[in-house]
Amino acid sequence: MTKVLVFSPHPDDDVIGCGGSIAKHVAKGNKVGVVYMTSGDIGSLAHSPAEIASIREREARQAAGCLGVSEVHFFKNHDGYLDCTWKNLVRVTSLLREFRPHIVYIPHEDDRHRDHRKTHELVVEACGWSGSPRAPVCGQNLWRVGTILCYEVGTPVRDCSYVEDITDYIDAKSRALAFHSSQLSNLDYNEAVRSLNRFRGITTGGGTYCECFQVVRATNLFSARDSFRRGD
Ligand SMILES: [Zn+2]
């Protein structure tokens, strides 16, 4: 079974960046997990950090469940202060060796939000560790991640090097995003996301609605990912 692991700096980035692809993976029978690096504890002026973190974790569980995600993890780093620490590298590498994903999704490296860039840096580094015997503290079952794709949230990717047609899943993506009501009350993310995905569809010719990604690493051209691309 193809396994997919999505790393999300805050609850909602997963849905905004690759919610359509998540729903598509699930529809194709792939197993999908999501890791929230922070719980978004500075995402509200109306609630204390503990209150809004609890609210956003609940929203994330509901949204992920709506998309068919089979497991979620909350790493509970401080929102706004994510760093590529030894502790985070060990946690991410250990999870990679345990979950053994074929495909990993992360934010792209030019995202304007610090936590997003740090998630990119941290997970790319951990993917290197995961396949190397240099980190025995992370478990003995080395695992090499075949494909790493970078999604866009607030900052569009400059060059789309992979396009996924999510036309059949755009409404599922909107339904999942609606669970993040604590954030939608600040900005109309749903309209922004649908507009960006429509823009991507038109400008790439890849479908009515598309998600665009930057490729860090890609393998399995004639097996897992290729089957996914052809819609088998
Ligand atoms: Zn974010």
Side-chain angles (χ1 to χ4, degrees), residues 8-14 16 38 56 79 107 111 113 115-116 151 153-154:
S8 185
H10 312 97
D12 73 9
D13 294 321
D14 50 333
I16 293 170
T38 81
R56 295 190 70 179
D79 186 1
D111 196 297
H113 196 304
D115 287 346
H116 293 211
Y151 56 78
V153 182

Coordinates of all heavy atoms in Angstrom, one line a residue, residues 8-14 16 38 56 79 107 111 113 115-116 151 153-154, ligand 1:
S8 N 2.5 19.6 8.5 CA 1.7 20.8 8.4 C 2.2 21.7 9.6 O 2.1 21.3 10.7 CB 0.2 20.5 8.6 OG -0.6 21.6 8.5
P9 N 2.8 22.9 9.3 CA 3.3 23.8 10.4 C 2.2 24.1 11.4 O 2.4 24.1 12.6 CB 3.7 25.0 9.6 CG 3.9 24.6 8.2 CD 3.0 23.5 8.0
H10 N 1.0 24.4 10.9 CA -0.2 24.7 11.7 C -1.4 23.9 11.3 O -1.4 23.5 10.1 CB -0.5 26.2 11.6 CG 0.7 27.1 11.7 ND1 1.4 27.6 10.6 CD2 1.4 27.5 12.8 CE1 2.4 28.3 11.1 NE2 2.5 28.3 12.4
P11 N -2.4 23.7 12.1 CA -3.6 23.1 11.7 C -4.2 24.0 10.6 O -4.3 25.2 10.8 CB -4.5 23.1 13.0 CG -3.5 23.1 14.1 CD -2.4 24.0 13.6
D12 N -4.5 23.5 9.5 CA -5.2 24.1 8.3 C -4.2 24.2 7.1 O -4.6 24.2 5.9 CB -5.9 25.4 8.5 CG -5.0 26.7 8.7 OD1 -3.7 26.5 8.5 OD2 -5.5 27.7 9.1
D13 N -2.9 24.2 7.3 CA -1.9 24.3 6.2 C -2.0 23.0 5.3 O -1.9 23.1 4.1 CB -0.5 24.5 6.7 CG -0.3 25.8 7.4 OD1 -0.8 26.8 6.9 OD2 0.5 25.8 8.4
D14 N -2.3 21.9 5.9 CA -2.4 20.7 5.2 C -3.5 20.7 4.2 O -3.4 20.3 3.1 CB -2.5 19.5 6.2 CG -3.6 19.7 7.2 OD1 -3.9 20.9 7.6 OD2 -4.2 18.7 7.7
I16 N -5.2 23.5 3.1 CA -5.0 24.6 2.1 C -4.0 24.1 1.1 O -4.2 24.3 -0.1 CB -4.5 25.9 2.8 CG1 -5.6 26.4 3.8 CG2 -4.0 26.9 1.8 CD1 -5.1 27.5 4.7
T38 N 3.0 22.6 15.0 CA 2.5 23.4 16.1 C 1.0 23.2 16.1 O 0.4 22.7 15.1 CB 2.9 24.9 15.9 OG1 1.9 25.5 15.1 CG2 4.3 25.1 15.4
R56 N -8.0 24.4 17.9 CA -7.4 24.1 16.5 C -7.1 22.6 16.4 O -7.1 22.1 15.3 CB -6.2 25.0 16.3 CG -6.7 26.5 16.2 CD -5.6 27.4 15.7 NE -5.3 27.1 14.3 CZ -4.4 27.8 13.6 NH1 -3.7 28.7 14.2 NH2 -4.2 27.5 12.3
D79 N 4.0 27.9 18.4 CA 3.6 28.6 17.2 C 4.5 29.8 17.0 O 4.6 30.7 17.9 CB 2.1 28.9 17.3 CG 1.5 29.5 16.1 OD1 2.2 29.6 15.0 OD2 0.3 29.8 16.1
P107 N 5.7 22.3 3.3 CA 5.6 23.6 2.6 C 6.9 23.8 1.8 O 7.9 23.2 2.0 CB 5.6 24.6 3.8 CG 5.2 23.7 5.0 CD 5.8 22.4 4.7
D111 N 8.3 30.0 1.3 CA 7.2 30.5 2.0 C 7.6 31.6 2.9 O 8.6 31.6 3.6 CB 6.5 29.3 2.8 CG 5.1 29.6 3.2 OD1 4.9 30.6 4.0 OD2 4.2 28.9 2.8
H113 N 6.3 32.5 5.7 CA 6.1 32.3 7.1 C 7.2 31.4 7.6 O 7.6 30.4 7.1 CB 4.7 31.5 7.3 CG 4.3 31.5 8.8 ND1 5.1 31.0 9.8 CD2 3.1 32.0 9.3 CE1 4.4 31.2 10.9 NE2 3.2 31.7 10.7
D115 N 7.6 29.5 10.3 CA 7.3 28.1 10.7 C 7.2 27.2 9.5 O 7.5 26.0 9.5 CB 6.0 28.0 11.5 CG 6.1 28.6 12.9 OD1 7.3 28.8 13.4 OD2 5.1 28.8 13.5
H116 N 6.7 27.8 8.4 CA 6.6 27.0 7.1 C 8.0 26.6 6.6 O 8.3 25.5 6.2 CB 5.8 27.7 6.1 CG 4.3 27.9 6.5 ND1 3.3 27.9 5.6 CD2 3.8 28.0 7.7 CE1 2.2 28.1 6.2 NE2 2.4 28.1 7.5
Y151 N 4.1 22.0 -1.0 CA 2.9 22.7 -1.3 C 2.9 24.2 -1.1 O 3.8 24.7 -0.4 CB 1.7 22.0 -0.6 CG 1.8 21.9 0.9 CD1 1.6 23.1 1.7 CD2 2.2 20.7 1.6 CE1 1.7 23.0 3.1 CE2 2.3 20.7 2.9 CZ 2.0 21.8 3.7 OH 2.1 21.8 5.1
V153 N 0.9 27.6 0.4 CA -0.2 28.1 1.3 C -0.4 29.6 1.1 O -1.1 30.0 0.2 CB 0.2 27.8 2.8 CG1 -1.0 28.2 3.7 CG2 0.4 26.3 3.0
G154 N 0.4 30.4 1.8 CA 0.2 31.9 1.7 C 1.0 32.4 0.6 O 0.8 33.5 0.1
Ligands
ZN1 ZN 0.7 27.9 8.7

